[in-house]
Amino acid sequence: MEKAKVAFFDFACCEGCQLQVANMGEALINVLGAIDVVEFREVMSEKWDRDIDVAIIEGSITNPHAVERVKQIRDKSKILIAYGSCATIGGVNGMKNGFPLDEIRRYVYGESYQFFPTENTKSVPQVVRVDYFVNGCPVYIPEFVAVLKAVLQGIPYYVPDYPVCVECKLNENVCMYDRGVTCLGPVTKAGCNSWCVNNGNICYGCRGVISNPNEKGAQDVLAKYKIPLGLILNKMNMYNKCRELEQK
Amino acid sequence: MKKKNVNINVEYLTRVEGHGNIVVNVKDGRLETCRLDIVEAPRFFEGMLRGRSIFEAQHITSRICGICSCGHTLASIQAAEDALGITPTAQTIKLRKLLLHYETLDSHILHIYLLVAPDLLGVKSFVPLITSHEQVVRRALRMKKTCNDLCDILVGRHVHPISAIVGGFTKLPRPKDLDAMLDLLKGMGPDMEATVELAKTLKFPEFERDTEYIALVNDSNEYPFLTGDVGSTDGVRMNKKDYKKITNEFVVPHSSAKHAKLSRESYAVGALARLNLNYDKLHPKAKEVAAAIGLKPKCINPYLNTAAQLVENVHCLEDAIAIIEDLKNTGINYYEEIVVGLNEQFKISVKAGNGVGAVEVPRGILFHNYQIDDKGIITDANCIIPTSQNTNNIEHDMKKLVPEILDRSEEEITLSLEMLVRSYDPCISCSTHFLDVRFVNR
Ligand code: SF4
Ligand code: SF4
Ligand code: SF4
């Protein structure tokens, strides 16, 4: 069987998710043995202008040129993977949407701001159809490998739709609420093995919000620990601000 | 002789992190245009930081660049602590230096092997090298993975470190973690030696242009990465608070990264700048390597930035080992482990202030500057990344280089220019993204 032609494309992002691939070490050679990487701008000069089996999209869509480009990629790709939070939910780039566009352009570029076109940040699924999601800022490599396997076998991959707390409890962490700080674990999709809490920090919600957050429970928690709602909302907006825009 | 017309337009210069275009236009043997366009969608980080808590700044600015995420983290924390009036403990400083070494090692390895070696070995990318130079690729990936594993142990992960925050660390390495890190570092020794051997065989293009080099400097005998004043090879020395007098940023229409200059038309930052300013403070083993590849200050061949990275790698490896051995001797004080979150418990006292962080990240000096109000909310933010300081210098290099190599084919000129840009290791994803070469024949 011919190997799947895979291409990586990046939009507005930090490219940390691409870098996670290089961080796989020698295991990467095995992965590269199973697929045929035809374009990966960060590490390859080669370019590919024909059809693609699997397009892996990193980054958010933030200007008209990007909208066109991602649509073209969609048209020539059999499967499209939104890779990393910038792509799946807009991620940190979404915070820009909290400001009037001209104002934020002027703030960063002064009087020359008109050279820098921008529009509201959108996630990839807000612009084109997405077949597979790999959440996380950055992505969690074991999950990416699982998704890639599913793609190559032509079977679906289901992103966990239960909260990070489930994994966190299994990891026997002391709950951050009991340590006196707020954590977004209760409303955030699991799948990262509660990465941040395992390392003594809080969950910032980078994998996106679960579909049925237990809002009553969350409010009870906030009340119990006397935490202002505004604090949580602001924190939610760090990764999830793009939710406010309509879906495609 | 017929006067030559050359038009180069390289779009999306590959193998640099970010997007850029090189545009060169030579008409009747005269260089008319020579530009480095930065075409990436700006991400407006400085704008987005306003209204956020100073305790979130590190988390957000780390996302400016995946490759320098630890560097951004440390510059951000330094600026925040400066604004809040916090002095980090001696233990925290040691661990931060260690983290910075890990990232420098990681980033330089990526650049030397995956991004530059294909040019020097005459192939398009590291992918064909998997068959032609399998051992080299394996070694590169192995070293890269080791750095990644080191960061996993120290701060949870390399791309967007978790435990390094304002005030210190949320998790401190246990004795077994120190041992594991020491083993990993020592285990990297043979691969590092092999890398040095490989580098000795590589031939770098010959080209020179004298410029001003800028990096952190200090009065101690330590090769500075984390703290110091800002110094230049033209004799400037300033406190980091005066960073705006150093960078003198200006906006040019063709680029979404701002340009910078100080004493002359442009200046350079990065491994070569650090080496030019602080050569004497390198670890003796690193100096040996520098001598072996013929690198000594003041070196003005920009292509040798890659060689300087290799020298720094040897230094960072040795110094990281020394830091861990020191930590093992003194023992870690676990009472310093902190839980901060958004500082809901006001464990860290907050006041209005202005703070600057200046840290040597792999590609050069990085500045973060925040203004915060009495509630710790950011009202103003500014980040000046190494690449935007270098862009102007790269353009001036290109302007000198193109006339010197005009007798070559367009292909060769293009490759020389691409390699020049790549040698600066331009991580444009930082402020924006980078590169494509355009020869425009009219
Ligand atoms: S999701 Fe996070 S790590 Fe991945 S590209 Fe975006 S900012 Fe970088
Ligand atoms: S620390 Fe966070 S993720 Fe873990 S159980 Fe508590 S709320 Fe959930
Ligand atoms: S713990 Fe939360 S913020 Fe951290 S990786 Fe998991 S989902 Fe993202």
Side-chain angles (χ1 to χ4, degrees):
Chain A
M1 202 184 78
E2 223 183 291
K3 286 195 229 168
K5 296 200 175 354
V6 178
F8 283 81
F9 300 95
D10 49 77
F11 290 82
C13 68
C14 83
E15 300 180 7
C17 287
Q18 285 183 49
L19 195 62
Q20 285 294 85
V21 175
N23 284 338
M24 291 163 86
E26 288 178 85
L28 179 61
I29 293 186
N30 300 335
V31 173
L32 290 178
I35 58 177
D36 182 8
V37 181
V38 292
E39 186 165 335
F40 194 162
R41 198 193 43 78
E42 189 171 312
V43 290
M44 289 169 63
S45 299
E46 295 89 336
K47 283 172 195 164
W48 184 258
D49 50 13
R50 281 170 282 157
D51 284 356
I52 299 163
D53 295 316
V54 183
I56 301 179
I57 310 279
E58 183 193 33
S60 317
I61 310 302
T62 60
N63 62 31
H65 177 236
V67 171
E68 281 320 302
R69 201 173 136 234
V70 76
K71 283 183 178 163
Q72 282 167 11
I73 295 170
R74 176 70 266 189
D75 285 344
K76 64 176 180 181
S77 309
K78 284 197 198 116
I79 300 285
L80 187 143
I81 305 178
Y83 182 64
S85 299
C86 290
T88 58
I89 57 170
V92 288
N93 300 314
M95 277 185 281
K96 186 185 76 182
N97 298 0
F99 298 86
L101 290 177
D102 276 355
E103 189 277 331
I104 198 164
R105 281 160 78 200
R106 221 184 274 256
Y107 179 74
V108 176
Y109 290 103
E111 286 317 302
S112 321
Y113 75 98
Q114 70 276 13
F115 296 130
F116 309 102
T118 192
E119 51 183 52
N120 267 329
T121 299
K122 295 192 197 74
S123 66
V124 173
Q126 285 172 331
V127 184
V128 294
R129 182 170 51 81
V130 171
D131 303 302
Y132 290 84
F133 291 83
V134 187
N135 288 301
C137 181
V139 297
Y140 187 57
I141 281 297
E143 189 183 32
F144 174 53
V145 172
V147 171
L148 204 57
K149 279 187 185 151
V151 170
L152 296 179
Q153 291 165 11
I155 57 175
Y157 173 81
Y158 299 103
V159 176
D161 202 7
Y162 48 81
V164 172
C165 298
V166 173
E167 292 170 339
C168 191
K169 296 260 153 55
L170 285 173
N171 286 323
E172 299 182 352
N173 293 316
V174 176
C175 180
M176 282 294 154
Y177 286 93
D178 291 331
R179 300 175 78 177
V181 294
T182 54
C183 172
L184 291 187
V187 294
T188 303
K189 283 178 186 155
C192 62
N193 193 29
S194 63
W195 212 343
C196 301
V197 188
N198 301 352
N199 286 283
N201 214 323
I202 53 172
C203 172
Y204 286 86
C206 83
R207 295 177 49 89
V209 182
I210 51 178
S211 12
N212 291 306
N214 178 353
E215 277 170 38
K216 174 79 180 54
Q219 279 166 10
D220 290 350
V221 171
L222 296 186
K224 176 175 163 201
Y225 293 98
K226 298 195 183 64
I227 292 158
L229 189 63
L231 189 92
I232 290 280
L233 286 179
N234 205 27
K235 208 183 267 183
M236 286 293 300
N237 285 340
M238 194 188 275
Y239 285 98
N240 293 286
K241 181 83 182 159
C242 286
R243 283 206 308 161
E244 293 165 3
L245 302 172
E246 82 271 27
Q247 291 285 329
K248 188 188 158 271
Chain B
M1 198 185 91
K2 189 175 159 289
K3 289 273 170 60
K4 192 164 176 176
N5 288 324
V6 180
N7 253 310
I8 303 186
N9 187 348
V10 177
E11 281 204 20
Y12 281 163
L13 185 78
T14 45
R15 279 187 280 138
V16 291
E17 300 81 35
H19 304 173
N21 311 323
I22 299 173
V23 180
V24 175
N25 189 9
V26 178
K27 210 172 166 194
D28 301 332
R30 258 197 41 230
L31 183 62
E32 290 205 325
T33 319
C34 197
R35 277 197 336 249
L36 185 57
D37 292 359
I38 294 169
V39 293
E40 176 58 18
R43 291 172 71 209
F44 300 100
F45 269 93
E46 294 138 312
M48 301 189 307
L49 282 168
R50 292 168 303 160
R52 314 256 6 159
S53 159
I54 190 67
F55 296 97
E56 296 173 318
Q58 170 275 322
H59 188 100
I60 296 171
T61 56
S62 167
R63 270 79 184 163
I64 292 175
C65 173
I67 298 190
C68 309
S69 55
C70 299
H72 276 287
T73 287
L74 292 169
S76 179
I77 291 173
Q78 198 181 93
E81 291 182 347
D82 188 27
L84 292 166
I86 300 174
T87 312
T89 66
Q91 174 174 299
T92 296
I93 292 172
K94 282 179 201 166
L95 291 167
R96 287 178 182 168
K97 283 181 182 163
L98 190 60
L99 178 60
L100 208 44
H101 282 338
Y102 290 171
E103 178 159 272
T104 304
L105 279 166
D106 179 274
S107 172
H108 285 358
I109 288 164
L110 182 76
H111 185 241
I112 294 168
Y113 275 105
L114 298 187
L115 310 180
V116 170
D119 279 338
L120 299 173
L121 297 169
V123 289
K124 280 204 164 276
S125 77
F126 87 98
V127 176
L129 293 180
I130 296 177
T131 20
S132 63
H133 295 73
E134 188 186 330
Q135 291 316 315
V136 174
V137 173
R138 283 195 178 271
R139 188 196 311 137
L141 291 171
R142 200 161 53 228
M143 293 175 84
K144 180 90 186 61
K145 175 99 174 25
T146 302
C147 297
N148 193 60
D149 292 348
L150 287 163
C151 289
D152 281 358
I153 298 173
L154 186 59
V155 287
R157 62 190 175 204
H158 167 237
V159 180
H160 308 321
I162 297 170
S163 63
I165 61 165
V166 170
F169 288 81
T170 58
K171 189 177 174 189
L172 289 165
R174 308 289 131 171
K176 69 169 182 3
D177 297 328
L178 291 176
D179 289 336
M181 292 194 289
L182 199 55
D183 283 350
L184 284 168
L185 286 166
K186 289 192 167 160
M188 217 195 311
D191 278 346
M192 189 64 84
E193 276 166 32
T195 308
V196 171
E197 288 311 311
L198 175 74
K200 283 187 197 158
T201 67
L202 297 177
K203 253 190 79 63
F204 293 95
E206 278 168 32
F207 165 73
E208 292 196 323
R209 185 178 76 87
D210 195 17
T211 190
E212 183 172 20
Y213 288 93
I214 292 183
L216 285 181
V217 293
N218 61 21
D219 297 319
S220 75
N221 53 13
E222 177 180 296
Y223 190 87
F225 279 104
L226 188 64
T227 52
D229 283 342
V230 188
S232 101
T233 48
D234 285 359
V236 177
R237 181 161 172 169
M238 282 188 211
N239 186 278
K240 63 176 180 177
K241 290 269 193 197
D242 290 324
Y243 75 99
K244 281 187 180 158
K245 291 190 197 144
I246 307 258
T247 59
N248 300 299
E249 281 194 307
F250 55 101
V251 171
V252 288
H254 62 267
S255 154
S256 39
K258 298 167 188 170
H259 282 198
K261 63 178 172 193
L262 176 57
S263 314
R264 31 175 127 186
E265 70 281 1
S266 68
Y267 71 81
V269 298
L272 192 55
R274 289 190 288 260
L275 186 134
N276 276 334
L277 280 151
N278 296 308
Y279 179 86
D280 291 340
K281 300 175 181 179
L282 282 167
H283 189 276
K285 278 198 184 167
K287 273 191 210 160
E288 265 172 43
V289 172
I293 51 181
L295 190 61
K296 57 174 193 292
K298 177 186 177 186
C299 166
I300 55 171
N301 176 353
Y303 288 101
L304 289 177
N305 189 50
T306 311
Q309 290 180 329
L310 179 78
V311 172
E312 286 197 336
N313 263 359
V314 175
H315 174 88
C316 290
L317 180 60
E318 294 303 325
D319 202 48
I321 291 173
I323 292 175
I324 297 187
E325 279 172 345
D326 174 38
L327 286 169
K328 276 171 63 110
N329 276 335
T330 53
I332 298 244
N333 175 2
Y334 294 99
Y335 289 107
E336 289 190 14
E337 225 166 50
I338 48 170
V339 182
V340 176
L342 271 193
N343 203 32
E344 295 96 308
Q345 307 299 315
F346 302 101
K347 286 199 179 136
I348 294 180
S349 65
V350 172
K351 63 176 184 66
N354 186 298
V356 175
V359 170
E360 286 290 343
V361 300
R363 290 158 185 80
I365 194 162
L366 165 70
F367 300 102
H368 279 222
N369 178 202
Y370 310 128
Q371 175 77 45
I372 57 174
D373 69 14
D374 55 1
K375 299 206 166 54
I377 301 300
I378 299 171
T379 55
D380 231 332
N382 190 14
C383 306
I384 302 183
I385 61 150
T387 297
S388 51
Q389 300 173 67
N390 275 335
T391 312
N392 189 25
N393 201 65
I394 300 175
E395 281 195 356
H396 281 88
D397 281 353
M398 297 199 308
K399 282 180 190 148
K400 178 163 187 284
L401 176 65
V402 172
E404 289 176 14
I405 57 175
L406 252 191
D407 52 334
R408 303 191 194 157
S409 71
E410 278 196 11
E411 244 173 35
E412 283 173 304
I413 300 176
T414 303
L415 183 63
S416 300
L417 289 173
E418 284 193 334
M419 284 173 65
L420 174 73
V421 176
R422 278 202 276 275
S423 69
Y424 280 86
D425 196 359
C427 175
I428 300 55
S429 42
C430 298
S431 67
T432 53
H433 282 198
F434 234 52
L435 282 160
D436 62 295
V437 182
R438 210 173 305 168
F439 280 96
V440 207
N441 250 325
R442 261 183 287 164

